Amino acid sequence: MSASDNLERTDSNMRIAALRAELARHDELYYRQAAPVISDYEYDGLRRELDALLADRGLAPDACGALTQLPGDDRTEGFAKVAHHAPMLSLANAYAESEFREFIARLQRLLPPGESLEFVVEPKIDGLAVSLTYEGGVFTRAVTRGNGSMGDDITRNVATIAGFPRRLSAPVPEFVELRGEIYMTHTEFMRINAAREATGLPLYANPRNLASGTVKLLDPAETATRKLEIVFYGLGACLPGTTFPCLSAFHDALVSWEMPCVSFFRKVACAQAAWECIGELDRLRHGLSCPTDGAVVKLDSLRAQEIVGASSKYPAWAIAYKFAPEQVATRLRAITLQVGRTGAITPVAELEPVELAGTTVSRATLHNADEIARKDIREGDEIIVEKAGEVIPQVVRPVLEKRGADSLPFNFAARLAELGLDAMRPEGEAVWRLRSPTQEQLLRKLIHFASKQCLDIANLGPAIIKTLASAGLVASAPDLYHLQRDQLLGLEKFADKSADNLLAALEASKRRELWRLIHAIGIPNVGMQTAKDLARHFLSLGALQGASYGDFRRKQRGRKGQELSAEESIINGVGETVARSIITWFSDPAHRELVENLRVLGLNFSHGPYGQAGAENHVLKDKVFVLTGTLPSLGRDEARQRIEAAGGRVSGSVSSRTSFVVAGTEAGSKLDEARRLGVTVLDEAALLALLIQGDEDGRVPPHAVASTNPKAAPTEPLAVQGELF
Ligand code: IVH
């Protein structure tokens, strides 16, 4: 080997090591912290560079968790595992015209002369792949991709998605797996993030992460609070196998069944026309309703597809052409520091407004001090901005050639000092936090405490809170409960009645459910759902306060019961970050004092009994339920607790006074009795719908009840949210 060969090899070794480290960092940010700092497109670029260097050495690609090229296994705890009848494969990606042409050339080699080279072209939806089974035209099951052969049964969560028919109109195949994507619109994503921002919770990175997190919530009632969409584009197993000769005929069937389909669908007769369609889609993509990150080109004929076949991962008959995220250059006017409710300080790029991917962008996220330093972003720089996940603008890099000679690196600590912010960076965290709260932060905390998602204190909105704080009457939550009638009457905003109303609302708030208080006290990273899970698990605020790390996370065990190094959550949704955040929060003496003050003031610190928790929620008031048989997911006790929490009663026998019989499999004589007396019968999904709907608008929706035949469950149609299916 020559000296120059040696040098090259060392260079390439160093680059391989650097790329591996870089990719590992992004995997950590993406998978564990749900806070990616580069787009999938950039990530794919790094991984492809690494794969190419390894291939040069005759080495196989690394088998680590690539984001988009090697789809991982999406299966999670808490869901039944179901086998797909036809495997759910992924798609090979192309990033340049040459790669698209290679795909075409390969098809030409594989197909006999004269075989059809017609294609369909459609958007690549950036969501979560799902397979819906219809038997005899009736929706029976929804399953995630999982590892491609077997996925998670998410039927109950998919049942909360509106807008797709639960029954297909004839003619229908005997059995069919419809493949599609669950996604979230930009508008819904923004709505949820805005609410999180208002309560100081970390923001979701992109609609895809949020959509897949939502589908995987263990409580369908929670899933139903976020609006998911579904769209269909693919065919899995189908009986009879000859039902569809080509994808365009299958697309026509989807349309005739009124299934939501991709809004751009073209059938073309040659590769060149397909290439032109890709360009057209790229121009149109920001106006499409689904988040779109590429174009998918597929052979139309199923016979031709069969001839070219598939590898274990990808079909040879399709390719995803990934669009580069749109980027623009603009001036970074300044870096401002924002203080959140929890005292976290977030740097924000204030930009010269610029058009990007369909909107005007004037601010962009800078993540944290490390990111600014790593990218060496400076005030006054010309910078490149793009939309991460096509939604949130972020700064990619400065344009170094245009940097002025007098420019200085951004000094985070010095800026904090200039602004008079007394902050520190807790060990192991990327975020700077205030040591003691500012007035603005105190207000935000109080607003959060009283908000609908927390203690839901009527008549205590942001304006009143500001008035009370400016008058010096409140600086923290316990102060609220010391307010006197006379003090309120001394303020312009209050008269006799409004003062009495506020005091009554404050009194009532002491009896709220435990999860509300857990959410209200503002532990970083603890949102409403986590608060509910914590309340259910620990049953009291004291137990939560006393919990140690081992009460949240434990070592996984291998097949033979041996301890593994990997950890798992004991409580749904409580990962390492959340666990540490809770422990750190309670270790602060000021927080312990706050909790103690609230306890002395008489706020409810305990979870049970459910009846108390639901005392304010009377949607099922006076309704008498009888439970019979085995429900698919709710245990008897949980079903009873949830009914009682909504104000209903559970009785052991059916009579003319029974409002509903909830029947599972192997329901016995109680079901027969219900039929004889004409009592409405619910299956589990209908019960959940009743609880969900009731939660939302406080009344029993007539369409949530259905007299189905649960004896035939689970393939019998379920009734949920306005549609019988
Ligand atoms: S066809 C055999 N069409 O992208 C694979 N997939 O990255 C058939 N996807 O696994 C898939 N939009 O989950 C197809 N219009 C589209 C798609 C699409 C999004 C997903 C799908 C696939 C993944 C590959």
Side-chain angles (χ1 to χ4, degrees):
M1 196 180 283
S2 73
S4 78
D5 280 351
N6 249 338
L7 212 61
E8 234 170 59
R9 211 179 159 94
T10 314
D11 274 358
S12 124
N13 275 346
M14 280 167 57
R15 184 66 189 145
I16 287 175
L19 283 166
R20 280 185 167 144
E22 182 78 356
L23 284 162
R25 194 173 78 84
H26 292 304
D27 283 341
E28 160 76 20
L29 286 167
Y30 183 93
Y31 287 115
R32 292 170 63 96
Q33 298 183 23
V37 296
I38 58 171
S39 63
D40 290 359
Y41 194 85
E42 270 182 281
Y43 179 95
D44 285 350
L46 296 174
R47 181 153 297 280
R48 283 153 64 86
E49 186 186 345
L50 175 61
D51 289 351
L53 287 174
L54 292 172
D56 275 352
R57 304 284 187 79
L59 298 171
D62 284 357
C64 52
L67 299 187
T68 49
Q69 286 197 304
L70 303 172
D73 185 343
D74 70 37
R75 290 175 298 172
T76 48
E77 277 169 51
F79 292 91
K81 309 295 167 232
V82 180
H84 298 299
H85 287 258
M88 282 183 85
L89 299 178
S90 188
L91 288 169
N93 292 329
Y95 294 84
E97 183 175 352
S98 59
E99 291 170 353
F100 170 74
R101 300 283 174 200
E102 278 166 28
F103 159 70
I104 301 293
R106 206 164 40 247
L107 290 181
Q108 282 164 337
R109 275 198 307 277
L110 291 169
L111 285 172
E115 190 60 53
S116 156
L117 258 184
E118 290 183 318
F119 296 97
V120 295
V121 185
E122 57 192 34
K124 180 169 186 309
I125 318 298
D126 195 12
L128 167 91
V130 67
S131 177
L132 267 63
T133 302
Y134 281 75
E135 293 172 62
V138 175
F139 168 50
T140 51
R141 185 166 266 172
V143 185
T144 65
R145 184 215 316 267
N147 65 356
S149 313
M150 193 170 261
D152 279 348
D153 185 336
I154 52 165
T155 312
R156 295 200 317 142
N157 286 354
V158 169
T160 67
I161 302 178
F164 75 95
R166 276 59 173 164
R167 199 184 282 277
L168 308 177
S169 49
V172 290
E174 260 166 60
F175 177 97
V176 66
E177 287 175 330
L178 301 179
R179 302 283 160 79
E181 208 84 358
I182 293 175
Y183 67 95
M184 188 176 273
T185 61
H186 293 169
T187 319
E188 176 67 353
F189 173 74
M190 297 300 201
R191 180 187 74 78
I192 292 169
N193 258 355
R196 286 177 75 84
E197 192 166 27
T199 47
L201 288 168
L203 301 188
Y204 291 107
N206 57 49
R208 181 193 47 209
N209 285 10
L210 182 49
S212 56
T214 303
V215 155
K216 287 300 186 81
L217 290 170
L218 291 176
D219 184 356
E222 272 304 313
T223 307
T225 64
R226 301 176 186 165
K227 196 163 181 295
L228 291 172
E229 317 281 333
I230 193 164
V231 65
F232 295 90
Y233 50 68
L235 182 61
C238 182
L239 280 177
T242 49
T243 313
F244 302 108
C246 55
L247 287 179
S248 42
F250 169 66
H251 180 80
D252 290 345
L254 287 175
V255 172
S256 76
W257 292 327
E258 296 181 2
M259 277 295 197
C261 299
V262 285
S263 55
F264 179 108
F265 181 88
R266 297 266 200 286
K267 179 174 172 176
V268 292
C270 65
Q272 182 53 27
W275 176 246
E276 280 159 22
C277 273
I278 293 177
E280 192 183 342
L281 245 182
D282 195 3
R283 287 187 295 280
L284 292 176
R285 68 176 150 135
H286 299 302
L288 301 179
S289 53
C290 312
T292 301
D293 61 347
V296 185
V297 179
K298 310 175 194 174
L299 269 181
D300 189 31
S301 151
L302 296 197
R303 205 172 74 112
Q305 288 184 6
E306 208 168 303
I307 296 172
V308 299
S311 72
S312 61
K313 287 194 205 99
Y314 313 126
W317 45 263
I319 198 150
Y321 183 89
K322 298 295 267 312
F323 298 133
E326 219 174 274
Q327 296 190 333
V328 284
T330 188
R331 176 88 32 214
L332 174 61
R333 286 176 171 166
I335 296 175
T336 50
L337 302 185
Q338 278 191 341
V339 180
R341 173 176 57 78
T342 59
I345 298 166
T346 319
V348 177
E350 307 289 345
L351 310 172
E352 210 74 73
V354 64
E355 282 294 304
L356 175 63
T359 55
T360 305
V361 173
S362 53
R363 309 183 91 199
T365 168
L366 284 168
H367 301 288
N368 54 47
D370 287 350
E371 276 302 304
I372 300 177
R374 202 178 63 82
K375 294 180 177 165
D376 187 18
I377 295 163
R378 304 180 183 191
E379 288 176 312
D381 271 349
E382 178 161 329
I383 49 160
I384 304 293
V385 189
E386 75 174 25
K387 286 197 175 170
E390 303 295 313
V391 181
I392 300 175
Q394 67 175 14
V395 178
V396 181
R397 61 178 169 86
V399 182
L400 294 177
E401 311 82 75
K402 300 223 178 144
R403 178 173 280 170
D406 53 351
S407 125
L408 290 173
F410 184 74
N411 185 331
F412 206 95
R415 179 61 54 87
L416 286 168
E418 265 167 55
L419 295 169
L421 295 172
D422 180 18
M424 45 113 53
R425 193 174 160 173
E427 215 183 293
E429 277 196 35
V431 178
W432 284 77
R433 288 183 191 281
L434 286 187
R435 260 187 254 267
S436 51
T438 60
Q439 177 68 11
E440 170 67 20
Q441 199 192 338
L442 288 176
L443 275 178
R444 276 166 164 256
K445 280 187 174 182
L446 285 170
I447 292 168
H448 171 75
F449 187 86
S451 69
K452 262 206 148 5
Q453 295 80 24
C454 295
L455 287 192
D456 192 14
I457 308 177
N459 313 309
L460 192 59
I464 297 285
I465 290 176
K466 277 184 194 146
T467 308
L468 296 171
S470 321
L473 295 178
V474 294
S476 72
D479 296 343
L480 290 168
Y481 297 95
H482 291 296
L483 285 169
Q484 301 289 319
R485 196 166 185 275
D486 290 351
Q487 292 175 319
L488 295 178
L489 291 177
L491 301 172
E492 223 177 71
K493 286 219 164 120
F494 286 93
D496 282 348
K497 194 158 183 317
S498 49
D500 288 341
N501 284 346
L502 177 57
L503 294 175
L506 281 163
E507 214 36 50
S509 74
K510 294 180 178 174
R511 295 186 299 276
R512 293 276 192 264
E513 301 111 308
L514 173 61
W515 70 262
R516 291 183 170 275
L517 183 59
I518 295 177
H519 190 207
I521 55 180
I523 305 170
N525 302 307
V526 174
M528 190 163 71
Q529 183 56 41
T530 305
K532 286 182 183 176
D533 294 335
L534 290 169
R536 213 174 292 141
H537 183 85
F538 286 100
L539 302 177
S540 80
L541 193 54
L544 176 64
Q545 175 165 356
S548 60
Y549 189 74
D551 296 319
F552 298 106
R553 313 264 305 153
R554 67 178 158 226
K555 290 266 185 272
Q556 284 181 7
R557 296 211 167 255
R559 281 220 198 107
K560 295 182 190 134
Q562 78 279 25
E563 243 183 35
L564 305 175
S565 62
E567 287 181 355
E568 63 187 10
S569 303
I570 296 173
I571 306 147
N572 182 33
V574 179
E576 185 183 339
T577 312
V578 178
R580 294 210 185 284
S581 178
I582 295 169
I583 293 165
T584 311
W585 194 87
F586 280 110
S587 68
D588 183 332
H591 293 152
R592 287 208 298 275
E593 190 184 325
L594 167 77
V595 169
E596 179 56 15
N597 285 340
L598 293 172
R599 195 185 61 74
V600 170
L601 284 163
L603 276 86
N604 171 40
F605 268 37
S606 60
H607 179 57
Y610 253 90
Q612 179 199 338
E616 64 197 274
N617 183 359
H618 289 305
V619 283
L620 300 184
K621 189 165 181 300
D622 299 332
K623 299 279 181 276
V624 181
F625 288 73
V626 173
L627 303 172
T628 178
T630 310
L631 299 176
S633 66
L634 292 178
R636 272 293 171 93
D637 283 348
E638 195 183 353
R640 169 192 289 273
Q641 284 170 350
R642 293 184 67 160
I643 290 167
E644 289 175 355
R649 226 164 30 82
V650 177
S651 151
S653 57
V654 182
S655 74
S656 56
R657 273 172 300 146
T658 308
S659 320
F660 303 105
V661 167
V662 182
T665 45
E666 283 156 38
S669 59
K670 288 179 191 167
L671 179 59
D672 300 333
E673 188 60 9
R675 295 234 171 85
R676 206 178 60 73
L677 294 172
V679 174
T680 306
V681 177
L682 307 178
D683 59 12
E684 183 188 276
L687 171 66
L688 288 169
L690 199 61
L691 294 165
I692 297 164
Q693 194 84 356
D695 278 353
E696 277 172 4
D697 58 18
R699 69 191 156 76
V700 176
H703 57 252
V705 294
S707 195
T708 62
N709 175 8
K711 268 192 164 171
T715 48
E716 187 65 12
L718 311 165
V720 174
Q721 294 234 324
E723 288 207 59
L724 252 187
F725 65 96

